[in-house]
Every structure is written in structure tokens, then in C-alpha cells.
Amino acid sequence: MDDPPRLPRYGHYIDGQPTPPASGRHLPTDDPWTGTAWAEIARGDGADVAAAVAAARRAGTSGPWATLTPSERGRLLWRVADLVTARADRLAEIEQRDNGKLATEVGAQVRYMADYLRYYAGLADKVHSAVIPTDKRGVFAYTRLVPKGVVGIITPWNSPLTLTSWKLAPALAAGCTVVVKPSEYSSASMVELAALFGEAGFPDGVVNVVTGLGAEAGAPLVEHPDVAHIGFTGGTEAGRRIYEMAARGMKTVTLELGGKSPNIVFDDADLEQAVKGVVSGIFAASGQSCQAGSRLLLQRSIHDRFVALLLDFMRDVRLGDPRDPRTQVGPIATRPQFDKVMSYIEIARAEGARCVLGGRARPDLGSGQFVEPTIFVGVNNAMRIAQEEVFGPVLAVIPFDDEDDAVRIANDIRFGLAAAVWTRDLHRALAMTERIRAGTVWVNNYRATSFTSPFGGFKDSGIGRESGVDAIREYLDIKCVWVSTDLDVPNPFVRR
């Protein structure tokens, strides 16, 4: 009897080479559509992290990377962008198989990732230091922006390549070296992406990837004394633990964490357009997005009419194989997340919310990791379904009376990642954007992001910003230089 075919196996990527795990152990990585393992990844631990950090430190201090000009770093990033464009189909296929997102969405994300790389390729030599006019005679002062050093990047399973590029591109443009620890549920695409950096001519050790579990590989990366900065995207509780660990090592952090974003529709809005924005905000990517508009705030005068429009729009939504371009809602990416989403649906019912759409699993589809797009009405903002991040296709509809009431509900939450306002009144729109405590506020649209614009949250939604010019500064330290222009050294016992 023939042996079953061996699954593709991915090692780490350390010091420019595919590297087997020091322990010899591997983890299966499952296809959410079929529910079966399609590949194996290296199960990394502290020894693998130590090797990767050592390689990154060497590359940043004594290798050719340390002597490159910002313009030369930019040219290397541009080459990687070209390779990403050329291999986009391959990268998208692997990522889609790992996390079950729609093939159409993943393909678009991977191609857009190349634009992120090109943006920071161009920005690498355009972040300027400053000459400082001081109150001291006989001295000349200026600043220098210097790379922080080794950066640890930890990313989740929902959009691994995109969310890694948000950190990787500015870190490399700044001159840092990196060690990436992707989610154990979606690591294969990141290992394949890392090899493209070597192909583009990046020196060995500049980009490293260690795969494995958070406790076994992620924690040692955060705690390693030679790691200067941590860039993390994930849940708020995990982010808090990482922040605490990083603080013990006096590391800086960029944390893009959870959200429970309000999508606010006023009675003067274009309701048909707002319906499309609400659907995009919560049901795209099966709700598995930190910026999901999971709280729908409706002015009371339009509440019933808008819910009817929303239900009509969602009546014929197509669930199924995420590789099929006709599919609109795919599976939940992991079995633990599927169980969590279903538990919150039961919590909402127990709290007294009324389910008017969905609310069921679909065991008849693929592996059974499907949750129907779900809408609850009769929700008040104190309910758990309104306060806690579900990270699935579950929408909580909350009525409000006027602008003050909408602001009160929108801000009465520990999160502050994003929000949206739907209205034809420009004065109202601008006033609302000032009063809502969120890092991104959209007006008459939802989910728009760009490599040119900063993204991040307030409160428990994170620290720091990604994308735009602001992101590269997260990976740079400021050094101040004082040069004496006076030939006579002043009295050493008197401070200047």
C-alpha cells in the first residue's frame, strides 16, 4: 500500500536561507474551506528566535545593509515590489488557502501590497532631519534620524501579508532589520514572501521569519534583549501582554489592536449608499477585520426602514467556496474563531437582542466553518454584543435620537479604532468627526485605507500609527548632535 502523499513543508527563513526548526518539530496549517491540513510549518522556539535575531543584528551592524544609503535601500524595496507584482497570483493562492478569505479580495490585497513597498521605497530618502536654531553661541546643533535596530513583527491570520507589509516596508525604509513571527494559522505566504527579499538583493539577515506558536516563538521574540521595537497587530488582550513584556525591556511598540467601530447613519443620509457601506463594513472578509463596523447606529426615525433595506440587500448573499469568484462570504478562518463567533450569537440572544438575519452555522458548506451573516436588533450599548469584539459577521443595531446621543453611544466603548458617519449635512459630518474618539473616521464611505494615510487607534485600539509618513518615524530614533564653532573652550565649571 502506498504511503499518503507528504504535505508541503515550510521551514523558517533565517539569514537568507530556508532553515529547519531547531527542535525538528512542525505544525499543520489547515485550509478553512476543506478543514484539512494542506501544509506544515516549522514549530519555532527560543533557539530559532535567537538565531534569527542574531542574524538581524549582524546585518544591521556589520553587514552591507548598515552601509547602504537611504536611496539604495529604496531601490531594493522597489525590486521587491516588482517581484511581488510578478508573483502575486502565487502569494494570493497560498494566503487564501491558509485563511479562507475570498480569492478576489486576497488577490487585490497582494497587488496593493506592492504599492505599499513602492511608497516606502520612495520615502526612504525623503525623511529629513533638522538643523536647530539654539540659544547658545559658538555651537551648531542638528538632529539625525537613525534606525532603531532589530524590529520584531508579529501579525495575525486575517490579512498576514498586508498587515506585515504595513510594518515591514517602513521598518526597512528606515534602515532597520526585522524578524517576523506570523500567526501559526497563516505562515506559509510570509515564508514565501521573505525569499523574494533575498531574490531582490537584500543582504542576508535583513529579513527573517520564524514561524510557530505565540507562547513558544512570539514571546521569546518580544523578550529578546537585542530587539528594539515590536510591531504587532492582533487582539487587545494579546497586545496588552506584549506591551507589558516590551516595557520590561524598555522597547518601543506599535500596537494595532481590536475595535468595535460605530457606523452611524443619520436620517438625511443617502440610505441606499449607506446600506452598501454598512454591508462592506461588517460582512466583507466575513467580519474578520479589526476595523469592522460591528455597531450600526441608526437614527430612530429611519431605524425600521433602514433595517428593511439592509435585510433586502442581504437576502441573496452567496456563501461558499472562497476560490469561486461568485462567493461573497467565505468561511471563518479558524475553528477556535468559529466557536467564538457562535458563542457570541448565543450571548446576544441571552441578553435579549433579537436576531432578524442569520444567526446560524452552516455545516453543509465546506468544512462547516461558516457563520451566516447575522443582524441583531433591540440592542443597547451596554450589552456584551455591543461592547466586545466578535471578529465575525455579526452586526449589532443600536438606535439613537440626535447627534449628542450618537456621540455618547459611539464613544461609550473601550475601543477607538474607526468610525463612519453617513449624512448629507457637511456641518454635521465635520462636527461628528471632531467629537468621535477614533483614529479613523470615514464620511459617507467605509474601509478606505491607503499607504499614504496614517492608520491606528485610540484607547484600547492601540498605540502608534501605520502607513503614511508617520509610520516610518515609528522605526527611527532621534539623535541630537552639537558641534562647537568656538575655538576657545568655555569655563568647564559653568554649564552653557
Side-chain angles (χ1 to χ4, degrees):
M1 184 174 179
D2 293 336
D3 292 331
R6 181 176 174 179
L7 295 175
R9 176 170 283 184
Y10 288 88
H12 307 304
Y13 187 82
I14 298 175
D15 209 12
Q17 299 295 325
T19 306
S23 67
R25 298 183 299 170
H26 292 79
L27 293 165
T29 182
D30 293 343
D31 181 335
W33 167 245
T34 65
T36 59
W38 72 273
E40 293 179 333
I41 62 165
R43 184 170 178 173
D45 56 22
D48 302 299
V49 169
V53 173
R57 189 171 185 274
R58 285 194 303 271
T61 56
S62 59
W65 179 253
T67 64
L68 293 183
T69 66
S71 298
E72 289 169 330
R73 294 198 297 265
R75 283 193 283 273
L76 288 176
L77 278 169
W78 199 280
R79 289 181 201 164
V80 174
D82 289 343
L83 289 173
V84 167
T85 299
R87 314 284 172 79
D89 290 343
R90 167 68 176 168
L91 293 170
E93 178 187 0
I94 295 169
E95 179 163 312
Q96 188 278 323
R97 198 166 187 185
D98 252 352
N99 70 3
K101 290 182 75 169
L102 301 186
T104 51
E105 180 173 4
V106 175
Q109 284 185 330
V110 171
R111 287 174 175 81
Y112 198 56
M113 180 178 67
D115 291 334
Y116 265 86
L117 293 165
R118 292 188 181 100
Y119 175 80
Y120 287 101
L123 191 61
D125 56 5
K126 298 173 183 66
V127 181
H128 299 162
S129 302
V131 173
I132 304 170
T134 76
D135 62 338
K136 310 298 182 187
R137 291 187 176 88
V139 290
F140 168 63
Y142 64 94
T143 60
R144 293 191 62 193
L145 298 176
V146 297
K148 285 188 173 180
V150 179
V151 170
I153 295 174
I154 302 175
T155 51
W157 42 258
N158 58 327
S159 295
L161 289 180
T162 292
L163 295 175
T164 298
S165 71
W166 285 17
K167 302 160 184 59
L168 185 62
L172 295 175
C176 297
T177 56
V178 300
V179 178
V180 181
K181 208 300 283 183
S183 167
E184 62 270 25
Y185 293 107
S186 55
S187 295
S189 58
M190 187 59 228
V191 176
E192 296 230 1
L193 175 66
L196 299 186
F197 285 86
E199 189 175 336
F202 273 74
D204 293 346
V206 175
V207 176
N208 307 272
V209 179
V210 175
T211 62
L213 302 174
E216 297 174 356
L221 179 60
V222 176
E223 294 175 327
H224 197 290
D226 287 338
V227 173
H229 180 91
I230 297 294
F232 171 77
T233 296
T236 297
E237 297 310 314
R240 184 174 284 110
R241 291 193 296 271
I242 286 172
Y243 195 17
E244 291 170 351
M245 287 189 289
R248 289 195 290 270
M250 299 299 288
K251 307 175 195 297
T252 56
V253 297
T254 307
L255 303 175
E256 198 266 277
L257 307 178
K260 195 71 182 177
S261 301
N263 212 342
I264 306 168
V265 183
F266 285 95
D267 58 8
D268 67 334
D270 183 327
L271 299 190
E272 291 186 359
Q273 299 304 314
V275 164
K276 290 189 285 186
V278 169
V279 170
S280 171
I282 184 58
F283 298 127
S286 300
Q288 299 169 110
S289 170
C290 54
Q291 63 189 7
S294 52
R295 289 187 298 157
L296 172 57
L297 278 56
L298 291 178
Q299 198 157 19
R300 288 188 192 275
S301 58
I302 60 166
H303 179 280
D304 293 350
R305 180 156 56 106
F306 192 91
V307 170
L309 290 171
L310 186 57
L311 293 176
D312 185 63
F313 190 96
M314 293 298 297
R315 181 171 291 115
D316 298 321
V317 69
R318 184 184 178 92
L319 284 71
D321 186 345
R323 296 166 296 185
D324 186 338
R326 298 170 298 173
T327 298
Q328 295 168 303
V329 177
I332 302 299
T334 74
R335 178 59 62 171
Q337 185 61 28
F338 169 83
D339 293 338
K340 176 185 175 184
V341 174
M342 292 306 300
S343 73
Y344 268 101
I345 290 173
E346 294 310 310
I347 288 169
R349 289 191 171 111
E351 290 181 322
R354 183 164 59 93
C355 184
V356 294
L357 181 73
R360 300 177 303 173
R362 290 292 301 274
D364 57 311
L365 294 175
S367 65
Q369 286 180 202
F370 280 81
V371 177
E372 292 178 335
T374 299
I375 299 175
F376 282 99
V377 299
V379 178
N380 68 68
N381 202 51
M383 292 179 175
R384 289 182 64 187
I385 196 69
Q387 288 289 317
E388 299 175 15
E389 187 177 39
V390 177
F391 218 70
V394 180
L395 179 64
V397 182
I398 305 170
F400 70 88
D401 295 317
D402 53 23
E403 291 179 23
D404 290 341
D405 197 29
V407 170
R408 178 188 63 79
I409 296 170
N411 289 340
D412 184 20
I413 194 87
R414 66 190 180 100
F415 298 108
L417 187 59
V421 177
W422 298 83
T423 178
R424 288 188 173 99
D425 186 329
L426 180 60
H427 174 78
R428 168 185 279 167
L430 293 178
M432 291 292 291
T433 64
E434 292 184 8
R435 298 177 67 188
I436 294 171
R437 290 285 297 164
T440 296
V441 183
W442 294 287
V443 175
N444 295 331
N445 72 99
Y446 205 97
R447 290 186 82 205
T449 58
S450 171
F451 47 82
T452 64
S453 303
F455 185 82
F458 297 168
K459 299 185 280 187
D460 279 11
S461 288
I463 296 171
R465 291 296 180 266
E466 298 188 307
S467 302
V469 177
D470 301 85
I472 197 171
R473 296 186 183 277
E474 301 281 355
Y475 301 95
L476 292 164
D477 280 329
I478 300 175
K479 178 186 294 186
C480 189
V481 179
W482 292 79
V483 179
S484 175
T485 60
D486 194 339
L487 298 179
D488 184 19
V489 176
N491 185 342
F493 295 102
V494 177
R495 183 175 178 179
R496 301 191 70 179

